[in-house]
Every structure is written in structure tokens, then in C-alpha cells.
Amino acid sequence: MTTHELAPTLLALAAGLALACANVSETGLASGAPAPADIKPAKWNQERVTTIAADLADAVADLRDVVRDDPASNIGSGQSNARHRLLYSLRLLKNESAYLAKELKAGSGRSETLPTYERLGTLSRDAREEARKIFLHEAIMGRITRAGDLWRQLSPYYVGAEG
């Protein structure tokens, strides 16, 4: 299957990941746009948020490992820089998601972890931009979807919810 044939699927996944990994503030998106209608604020639940964050950290680490281990032999020279930037963004995402999980496990609440959550959104946006520039195998796309699903589960606790 060619990249041209995969384009509609990749664009749909990128759109879904964009929604899932949006940089969200208390009132909406960092861009000033309102939060997506499908994200309903949730009352803070330390145990639930901690579990989701730990799962997200594992999913991001797995995603980074799979991207890093993916043979780049079929990557075009124009995609090489994008791949390196994607790996850089994924390394930062791995570190930040692990930090979020650690802080939540230690008892830090919404207000203490909100900056890390927002930073994850920014890093996710950067990774999405680079990922759109290169061909990604189905195994990688599945891991992106998994991380995005976990982000969607985490977001209601940070979007408009009060601690």
C-alpha cells in the first residue's frame, strides 16, 4: 500500500490524535477555542487519574520504543529530519508522562499537575506535526491510537474540572 493510498486513513488518525492530544487549559484549548464537546469535565478522582496517567506513561514509552526500533531503511531523505524530530518529541513525552504518573502517585493533585498535563499537550502537538511528515507502520499507528485513547480518558479531569 502506498502513502497516497494511506493518506485518508493517516489524516483521520491525525485528526483523532489532534483532538485527543490537544493542549487543554481550564476553560478550553490553549488556542482560546472551547474544549471539544465530547470532553465533559469530571470531578477529580486521584486514584482514577493516577491509574490513567500510569497507563499513559507506559503507552508513550512503548510508542517511543517502537518508533525508535523501526527500521528507517525505507524512509526518504526528506523524512529523515522529521523522524529525528519525532523521536526527540517522543523522548520528551516519555519523560513528562512518567513524571506526571510519578507526581500523581505521590499524591499531587490537579492544580500541582496541571502544568505537566498542559506540557504533554504541547509535546503531543509537536509530535503530531512531525509524524504527519513521515510514513508510519500500522503497529506504530495502533500505539498512537492507544496513547490518544488514554489522553482522552485523562482530559476530563483537567478540562474545566475543579480539584
Side-chain angles (χ1 to χ4, degrees):
M1 193 176 280
T2 68
T3 302
H4 181 59
E5 292 169 330
L6 283 175
T9 302
L10 291 174
L11 290 174
L13 287 171
L17 191 57
L19 174 63
C21 298
N23 185 11
V24 182
S25 68
E26 289 186 47
T27 57
L29 300 179
S31 65
D38 66 338
I39 297 180
K40 304 286 189 236
K43 184 171 174 45
W44 186 259
N45 179 329
Q46 186 76 26
E47 184 179 334
R48 178 77 178 124
V49 173
T50 301
T51 299
I52 297 167
D55 291 346
L56 177 62
D58 291 343
V60 170
D62 180 51
L63 171 61
R64 179 179 177 254
D65 291 344
V66 170
V67 171
R68 189 182 56 210
D69 295 342
D70 187 44
S73 60
N74 62 350
I75 196 166
S77 62
Q79 296 178 356
S80 180
N81 287 337
R83 183 176 190 278
H84 291 298
R85 286 190 297 271
L86 174 60
L87 286 168
Y88 174 75
S89 292
L90 289 173
R91 180 177 56 84
L92 296 176
L93 274 167
K94 177 184 174 189
N95 293 341
E96 287 295 310
S97 62
Y99 178 77
L100 177 65
K102 179 182 130 207
E103 288 299 301
L104 287 164
K105 185 176 180 180
S108 295
R110 181 184 184 276
S111 61
E112 296 93 352
T113 58
L114 182 62
T116 305
Y117 168 83
E118 291 174 335
R119 177 71 175 137
L120 283 169
T122 301
L123 292 169
S124 296
R125 183 199 64 222
D126 294 347
R128 275 193 317 278
E129 287 300 313
E130 298 309 326
R132 282 199 294 244
K133 298 174 186 175
I134 62 176
F135 174 78
L136 298 173
H137 297 283
E138 190 173 322
I140 294 171
M141 297 308 292
R143 284 168 172 85
I144 289 172
T145 300
R146 171 74 177 136
D149 288 345
L150 289 163
W151 183 261
R152 271 189 291 282
Q153 292 175 39
L154 189 61
S155 293
Y157 296 100
Y158 285 97
V159 178
E162 292 301 321

